[in-house]
mmCIF file of all heavy atoms in Angstrom:
data_model
loop_
_atom_site.group_PDB
_atom_site.id
_atom_site.type_symbol
_atom_site.label_atom_id
_atom_site.label_comp_id
_atom_site.label_asym_id
_atom_site.label_seq_id
_atom_site.Cartn_x
_atom_site.Cartn_y
_atom_site.Cartn_z
ATOM 1 N N ALA A 22 -14.161 -25.842 -21.236
ATOM 2 C CA ALA A 22 -13.816 -25.245 -22.533
ATOM 3 C C ALA A 22 -15.058 -24.942 -23.359
ATOM 4 O O ALA A 22 -15.113 -23.913 -24.051
ATOM 5 C CB ALA A 22 -12.887 -26.185 -23.300
ATOM 6 N N GLY A 30 -18.154 -17.217 -28.636
ATOM 7 C CA GLY A 30 -18.843 -17.281 -29.917
ATOM 8 C C GLY A 30 -19.930 -16.234 -30.055
ATOM 9 O O GLY A 30 -20.143 -15.691 -31.138
ATOM 10 N N ARG A 33 -18.044 -12.429 -28.008
ATOM 11 C CA ARG A 33 -16.690 -12.072 -28.440
ATOM 12 C C ARG A 33 -15.827 -11.575 -27.274
ATOM 13 O O ARG A 33 -14.912 -10.787 -27.457
ATOM 14 C CB ARG A 33 -16.723 -11.001 -29.543
ATOM 15 C CG ARG A 33 -17.286 -11.499 -30.861
ATOM 16 C CD ARG A 33 -16.412 -12.599 -31.461
ATOM 17 N NE ARG A 33 -16.831 -13.001 -32.787
ATOM 18 C CZ ARG A 33 -17.643 -14.014 -33.045
ATOM 19 N NH1 ARG A 33 -18.131 -14.726 -32.041
ATOM 20 N NH2 ARG A 33 -17.952 -14.349 -34.277
ATOM 21 N N LEU A 99 -8.500 -7.434 -19.241
ATOM 22 C CA LEU A 99 -8.043 -6.904 -17.971
ATOM 23 C C LEU A 99 -9.169 -6.838 -16.950
ATOM 24 O O LEU A 99 -8.948 -7.067 -15.756
ATOM 25 C CB LEU A 99 -7.436 -5.515 -18.179
ATOM 26 C CG LEU A 99 -6.130 -5.489 -18.976
ATOM 27 C CD1 LEU A 99 -5.632 -4.071 -19.140
ATOM 28 C CD2 LEU A 99 -5.067 -6.332 -18.292
ATOM 29 N N PHE A 201 -22.124 -21.859 -15.966
ATOM 30 C CA PHE A 201 -22.671 -23.102 -15.395
ATOM 31 C C PHE A 201 -21.823 -24.305 -15.787
ATOM 32 O O PHE A 201 -21.503 -25.156 -14.947
ATOM 33 C CB PHE A 201 -24.112 -23.289 -15.856
ATOM 34 C CG PHE A 201 -24.709 -24.614 -15.453
ATOM 35 C CD1 PHE A 201 -25.236 -24.799 -14.192
ATOM 36 C CD2 PHE A 201 -24.724 -25.678 -16.352
ATOM 37 C CE1 PHE A 201 -25.774 -26.026 -13.813
ATOM 38 C CE2 PHE A 201 -25.257 -26.901 -15.994
ATOM 39 C CZ PHE A 201 -25.789 -27.088 -14.716
ATOM 40 N N GLY A 238 -15.912 -20.649 -30.488
ATOM 41 C CA GLY A 238 -17.337 -20.713 -30.772
ATOM 42 C C GLY A 238 -17.838 -22.083 -31.176
ATOM 43 O O GLY A 238 -19.052 -22.266 -31.341
ATOM 44 N N ALA A 247 -10.450 -31.167 -26.524
ATOM 45 C CA ALA A 247 -10.258 -31.588 -25.136
ATOM 46 C C ALA A 247 -9.724 -33.013 -25.073
ATOM 47 O O ALA A 247 -8.838 -33.329 -24.261
ATOM 48 C CB ALA A 247 -11.571 -31.480 -24.366
ATOM 49 N N LEU A 259 4.882 -39.866 -20.746
ATOM 50 C CA LEU A 259 5.520 -41.189 -20.887
ATOM 51 C C LEU A 259 6.456 -41.241 -22.086
ATOM 52 O O LEU A 259 7.571 -41.763 -21.997
ATOM 53 C CB LEU A 259 4.436 -42.267 -21.042
ATOM 54 C CG LEU A 259 3.457 -42.421 -19.872
ATOM 55 C CD1 LEU A 259 2.405 -43.461 -20.224
ATOM 56 C CD2 LEU A 259 4.195 -42.845 -18.608
ATOM 57 N N LEU A 260 5.991 -40.684 -23.227
ATOM 58 C CA LEU A 260 6.771 -40.798 -24.455
ATOM 59 C C LEU A 260 7.801 -39.685 -24.603
ATOM 60 O O LEU A 260 8.899 -39.923 -25.116
ATOM 61 C CB LEU A 260 5.824 -40.785 -25.663
ATOM 62 C CG LEU A 260 4.765 -41.898 -25.691
ATOM 63 C CD1 LEU A 260 3.855 -41.734 -26.902
ATOM 64 C CD2 LEU A 260 5.434 -43.272 -25.700
ATOM 65 N N ALA A 371 16.238 -12.194 -19.192
ATOM 66 C CA ALA A 371 16.758 -12.594 -17.886
ATOM 67 C C ALA A 371 17.608 -13.853 -18.002
ATOM 68 O O ALA A 371 18.705 -13.941 -17.425
ATOM 69 C CB ALA A 371 15.597 -12.814 -16.916
ATOM 70 N N THR A 437 18.491 -24.671 -17.483
ATOM 71 C CA THR A 437 17.805 -23.560 -16.812
ATOM 72 C C THR A 437 17.595 -23.783 -15.324
ATOM 73 O O THR A 437 17.215 -22.850 -14.620
ATOM 74 C CB THR A 437 16.439 -23.312 -17.464
ATOM 75 O OG1 THR A 437 15.603 -24.469 -17.244
ATOM 76 C CG2 THR A 437 16.587 -23.083 -18.959
ATOM 77 N N GLY A 499 2.144 1.526 -50.733
ATOM 78 C CA GLY A 499 3.422 0.837 -50.792
ATOM 79 C C GLY A 499 4.027 0.446 -49.466
ATOM 80 O O GLY A 499 5.186 0.006 -49.428
ATOM 81 N N VAL A 519 16.239 -6.191 -22.406
ATOM 82 C CA VAL A 519 17.082 -5.357 -21.535
ATOM 83 C C VAL A 519 16.499 -5.310 -20.125
ATOM 84 O O VAL A 519 17.215 -5.466 -19.124
ATOM 85 C CB VAL A 519 17.202 -3.936 -22.115
ATOM 86 C CG1 VAL A 519 17.961 -3.030 -21.144
ATOM 87 C CG2 VAL A 519 17.905 -3.961 -23.463
ATOM 88 N N LEU A 550 -3.270 1.448 -17.237
ATOM 89 C CA LEU A 550 -3.303 2.405 -16.135
ATOM 90 C C LEU A 550 -2.685 3.737 -16.551
ATOM 91 O O LEU A 550 -3.202 4.804 -16.211
ATOM 92 C CB LEU A 550 -2.562 1.832 -14.927
ATOM 93 C CG LEU A 550 -2.479 2.715 -13.671
ATOM 94 C CD1 LEU A 550 -3.880 3.059 -13.167
ATOM 95 C CD2 LEU A 550 -1.684 2.011 -12.574
#
Side-chain angles (χ1 to χ4, degrees):
R33 291 296 186 266
L99 292 179
F201 173 82
L259 299 176
L260 301 177
T437 65
V519 174
L550 179 59

